[in-house]
Amino acid sequence: MISKAQIKRISSLRQAKFRDEEKVFVVEGVKIVQELLESQISIKTICATKDWIEENINKASKFTKEIIEVSQEELKKISSLSTPNQVLAVLNQIGEKEIKYKENYVLVLDGIKDPGNLGTIIRVADWFGIEDIVCSEDTVDLYNPKTIQSTMGSFLRVNVSYKDIYLMLSNLQDFPIYGTILEKGMNIYETNLEREGIIIIGSESHGISPQISPLITHPITIPSFSKGQGPESLNASIATSIICSEFKRKLKI
Amino acid sequence: MISKAQIKRISSLRQAKFRDEEKVFVVEGVKIVQELLESQISIKTICATKDWIEENINKASKFTKEIIEVSQEELKKISSLSTPNQVLAVLNQIGEKEIKYKENYVLVLDGIKDPGNLGTIIRVADWFGIEDIVCSEDTVDLYNPKTIQSTMGSFLRVNVSYKDIYLMLSNLQDFPIYGTILEKGMNIYETNLEREGIIIIGSESHGISPQISPLITHPITIPSFSKGQGPESLNASIATSIICSEFKRKLKI
């Protein structure tokens, strides 16, 4: 049984303010919670339907402090999804790890605003073996429910940190900083690439900000194959995937 | 001034049933409507704030039958956006054109359910010079407001049609049909590609359907570079962009 106070507390975690106060976040749905259990991460609270609990009690009780049975209606009250799916877990926020700059790429996100885009970028990074993402302080919250859902579990494997990216990039010395510039960048399909570096991804509506642009040492561009006018730009997560695909293909690392 | 009946009518266009009855759809926002005006497409109705009308009246009146001034509150009532942006246009649905199979790729979407994904795929196709997309009949509606918004105007340039894709693919003879298969597909980075063909993109949750899979003549796979477990799959629009990027890069068409 879930109490009224618990319903209120868990619902409040939709808002960043309450998530940050408690230093927790929420993960939902059978598939992602399954990944949590397999990754053996410690879970504070699981709220789940009777069926889910019956099927998963052995595995779930090993890593979970508290398991609460909820009805479909109660799950709907605490969920951020329009159609909640059997189970919701509350976890401690993940500590930021040290960034590994050597022999890999680090993604730097400059003001990504859409949680779905951030989540998809994390999933893309995970697919391409990129272990570190640094977000500017005005990037959307990693723990926004929509971000977490769109990572499809990749938040477990990619180290996401928030920093003053101007300071961080200014302090790097002799380290390649790639960034997409619509005009006069090197064609990503034709340019030689370094074995390590930063890849900056600009925001959905404004691209890379005027403060950050001058720090780019290796301007790149994704050429369009459109025969006519074509679109002005690509979505941020789409641009990320094309760049990561091309970098990794060429360097095979 | 907008009448109550007009508010009711335009709001009803959020639903496919009413869009299809009238054979119209809605486009919103300063940027996309700007593209409409530049493309010289004929517009049935524009509802816009006083400021927008003052600035655009010359251009807009050339291609628009009816221009209605609305207040911010009225715009909110007829809009599908959470923060409507100055202008909304009602257009006639676009006729499906004949598909050009030669010397290019045709995307076939097998059950894409998310309007944001469909819109993003249309934008990606436009970027990579792919002119035709064929959707299975259970793919989400092109004229869903979220689809149209995520195309960012590319619906103007890409021919999107809905068909029985099983029938369509079965009737093709000696024509390469590419499809992503997680196991045993050819690595897209290493395989030789034909200069033309179909590329099938599967649905977000189920991939390519069991009925369609056997029709694939060229199974392909996007390899993961993840060192550990990595994600199980990629989002449908991300997979599309990586495949299109790689096909176009190799063939330079």
Side-chain angles (χ1 to χ4, degrees):
Chain A
M1 267 285 290
I2 187 164
S3 70
K4 276 195 179 161
Q6 284 168 319
I7 290 182
K8 198 175 159 196
R9 187 195 132 231
I10 297 175
S11 317
S12 79
L13 300 178
R14 287 176 202 139
Q15 291 173 59
K17 187 186 148 194
F18 295 107
R19 291 195 296 269
D20 289 345
E21 257 175 38
E22 277 200 59
K23 301 246 169 290
V24 295
F25 67 109
V26 171
V27 173
E28 291 199 58
V30 173
K31 213 164 169 182
I32 310 197
V33 174
Q34 195 58 42
E35 277 212 49
L36 290 184
L37 298 181
E38 277 159 24
S39 76
Q40 314 201 346
I41 198 170
S42 142
I43 298 172
K44 281 183 85 118
T45 308
I46 282 183
C47 302
T49 58
K50 201 173 168 217
D51 290 354
W52 189 92
I53 294 177
E54 274 173 11
E55 207 170 308
N56 297 280
I57 185 72
N58 286 336
K59 222 192 239 178
S61 53
K62 272 189 227 162
F63 312 108
T64 315
K65 288 207 188 108
E66 177 185 39
I67 300 179
I68 305 173
E69 188 183 316
V70 290
S71 67
Q72 198 57 40
E73 293 72 52
E74 287 162 342
L75 187 59
K76 196 140 195 175
K77 280 188 195 158
I78 56 175
S79 170
S80 305
L81 304 177
S82 50
T83 45
N85 186 359
Q86 294 186 53
V87 56
L88 176 157
V90 181
L91 278 84
N92 285 321
Q93 292 187 5
I94 301 159
E96 298 182 359
K97 293 186 215 107
E98 209 184 319
I99 297 160
K100 282 173 268 162
Y101 290 100
K102 292 284 156 194
E103 292 280 312
N104 205 341
Y105 300 102
V106 173
L107 290 183
V108 168
L109 310 186
D110 183 6
I112 295 291
K113 295 287 183 242
D114 179 75
N117 263 342
L118 175 57
T120 305
I121 289 172
I122 295 169
R123 188 171 167 198
V124 165
D126 190 17
W127 184 272
F128 286 107
I130 290 177
E131 293 168 32
D132 296 286
I133 296 180
V134 181
C135 300
S136 65
E137 281 151 345
D138 62 344
T139 292
V140 63
D141 186 12
L142 166 63
Y143 298 116
N144 179 306
K146 281 190 193 151
T147 310
I148 290 292
Q149 289 310 117
S150 356
T151 68
M152 292 294 287
S154 289
F155 70 87
L156 287 164
R157 295 177 290 269
V158 178
N159 175 36
V160 180
S161 48
Y162 286 75
K163 285 191 201 314
D164 179 331
I165 61 167
Y166 179 78
L167 211 66
M168 170 203 160
L169 295 172
S170 311
N171 285 336
L172 286 173
Q173 269 161 11
D174 286 331
F175 201 69
I177 301 178
Y178 291 91
T180 47
I181 304 277
L182 281 178
E183 316 83 34
K184 71 190 167 71
M186 301 174 298
N187 178 330
I188 55 159
Y189 303 119
E190 289 168 3
T191 182
N192 286 322
L193 299 168
E194 308 287 337
R195 286 192 70 79
E196 55 196 17
I198 302 285
I199 302 170
I200 308 178
I201 305 295
S203 85
E204 296 89 348
S205 35
H206 307 294
I208 297 175
S209 57
Q211 196 199 20
I212 299 300
S213 273
L215 302 175
I216 295 172
T217 59
H218 293 56
I220 50 177
T221 194
I222 304 171
S224 167
F225 289 79
S226 189
K227 269 149 206 147
Q229 186 197 355
E232 254 181 50
S233 64
L234 287 165
N235 165 296
S237 60
I238 295 290
T240 308
S241 71
I242 295 169
I243 295 170
C244 289
S245 166
E246 186 58 16
F247 274 52
K248 291 288 180 162
R249 172 190 77 77
K250 267 198 187 133
L251 297 171
K252 299 198 178 81
I253 53 168
Chain B
M1 266 285 289
I2 187 164
S3 70
K4 275 195 181 162
Q6 283 168 319
I7 291 181
K8 199 175 158 197
R9 187 195 132 232
I10 297 175
S11 317
S12 79
L13 301 178
R14 287 177 201 138
Q15 292 172 61
K17 187 186 146 194
F18 296 106
R19 291 195 296 269
D20 289 346
E21 257 175 38
E22 278 200 58
K23 300 245 169 290
V24 296
F25 69 108
V26 171
V27 173
E28 291 199 57
V30 173
K31 214 162 168 179
I32 309 196
V33 174
Q34 195 58 42
E35 277 212 50
L36 290 183
L37 298 180
E38 277 159 24
S39 76
Q40 313 199 348
I41 197 170
S42 142
I43 298 173
K44 280 182 85 118
T45 309
I46 281 183
C47 301
T49 58
K50 199 174 171 215
D51 289 355
W52 189 91
I53 293 177
E54 274 173 11
E55 207 170 307
N56 297 280
I57 186 72
N58 286 336
K59 222 192 242 175
S61 53
K62 271 189 230 163
F63 311 107
T64 315
K65 288 208 188 107
E66 177 186 41
I67 300 179
I68 305 172
E69 186 182 316
V70 291
S71 67
Q72 198 57 40
E73 292 74 49
E74 287 163 341
L75 188 58
K76 197 142 195 171
K77 280 187 195 158
I78 55 174
S79 170
S80 305
L81 303 178
S82 50
T83 45
N85 187 359
Q86 294 186 54
V87 56
L88 175 156
V90 181
L91 278 84
N92 286 321
Q93 292 187 4
I94 301 158
E96 297 182 359
K97 293 185 216 108
E98 209 185 322
I99 298 161
K100 282 174 266 159
Y101 290 101
K102 292 285 155 195
E103 291 280 311
N104 205 342
Y105 299 103
V106 173
L107 289 183
V108 168
L109 310 185
D110 183 6
I112 294 292
K113 295 287 184 241
D114 180 75
N117 263 342
L118 175 57
T120 305
I121 289 172
I122 295 170
R123 188 172 167 198
V124 165
D126 190 18
W127 184 271
F128 285 108
I130 290 176
E131 294 169 31
D132 295 287
I133 297 181
V134 181
C135 301
S136 65
E137 282 153 343
D138 62 343
T139 291
V140 64
D141 186 12
L142 166 64
Y143 298 116
N144 179 306
K146 280 190 194 152
T147 310
I148 290 292
Q149 289 311 119
S150 353
T151 68
M152 294 293 287
S154 290
F155 70 87
L156 288 164
R157 295 177 290 268
V158 177
N159 174 36
V160 180
S161 47
Y162 286 74
K163 284 190 202 314
D164 179 331
I165 60 167
Y166 179 79
L167 213 65
M168 169 203 162
L169 295 172
S170 310
N171 285 336
L172 286 174
Q173 269 161 11
D174 286 333
F175 201 68
I177 301 178
Y178 291 91
T180 47
I181 303 278
L182 280 178
E183 317 83 33
K184 70 193 166 67
M186 301 173 297
N187 178 331
I188 55 160
Y189 303 119
E190 290 167 2
T191 183
N192 287 321
L193 299 168
E194 307 287 338
R195 285 191 71 80
E196 56 195 16
I198 301 285
I199 301 171
I200 308 177
I201 305 296
S203 86
E204 296 88 348
S205 35
H206 306 295
I208 297 175
S209 58
Q211 197 200 17
I212 299 300
S213 272
L215 302 174
I216 296 172
T217 58
H218 293 56
I220 50 176
T221 195
I222 304 171
S224 167
F225 290 79
S226 189
K227 268 150 205 146
Q229 186 198 355
E232 254 180 51
S233 64
L234 287 164
N235 165 297
S237 60
I238 296 290
T240 308
S241 72
I242 295 169
I243 295 171
C244 290
S245 166
E246 186 58 17
F247 274 51
K248 290 289 180 162
R249 172 190 78 77
K250 266 197 187 134
L251 297 171
K252 298 198 177 82
I253 54 169

